[in-house]
Amino acid sequence: GVFYFVFAWFREQVCIIACPYGRLQSVLLDNKSIVVAYDHKRGEGKNGRKKFRKNENRNALGHGDCIDCLQCVNVCPTGIDIRNGTQLEC
């Protein structure tokens, strides 16, 4: 019963609260570490991110490639936004 509870309901909370990997990761990062990260230069553009609209030239309007669909947050098991940088839950 305990294992079912941990793996079915408490899984996200274990990643955030109890898993030591997130705490160790922040200590062990250096300049040569490979990290999955958001590219602000490409995603934001000059005028930031904006929802996708048909038939608009995003480059001419100064918007980046990020269309603000929040799929990066939806696919993350802990629900963090990678656009905010490296976080403890990751």
Side-chain angles (χ1 to χ4, degrees):
V2 172
F3 285 111
Y4 177 76
F5 175 70
V6 168
F7 288 111
W9 182 80
F10 201 61
R11 188 170 97 191
E12 293 175 10
Q13 284 75 20
V14 168
C15 290
I16 295 170
I17 299 167
C19 181
Y21 181 73
R23 284 147 181 71
L24 290 175
Q25 179 186 13
S26 61
V27 173
L28 297 174
L29 282 177
D30 64 357
N31 292 338
K32 296 180 183 178
S33 297
I34 298 173
V35 179
V36 176
Y38 178 72
D39 185 6
H40 285 278
K41 194 181 246 185
R42 178 181 172 203
E44 299 293 322
K46 289 182 253 174
N47 295 329
R49 40 183 197 260
K50 181 184 172 193
K51 292 280 187 191
F52 179 73
R53 299 193 186 208
K54 281 179 125 178
N55 300 327
E56 77 175 353
N57 189 349
R58 296 180 67 79
N59 290 334
L61 295 173
H63 296 292
D65 289 336
C66 180
I67 59 171
D68 209 22
C69 64
L70 296 177
Q71 286 300 312
C72 53
V73 177
N74 293 334
V75 299
C76 177
T78 57
I80 64 168
D81 191 349
I82 66 165
R83 297 175 292 183
N84 297 332
T86 305
Q87 298 172 27
L88 185 64
E89 296 90 0
C90 185

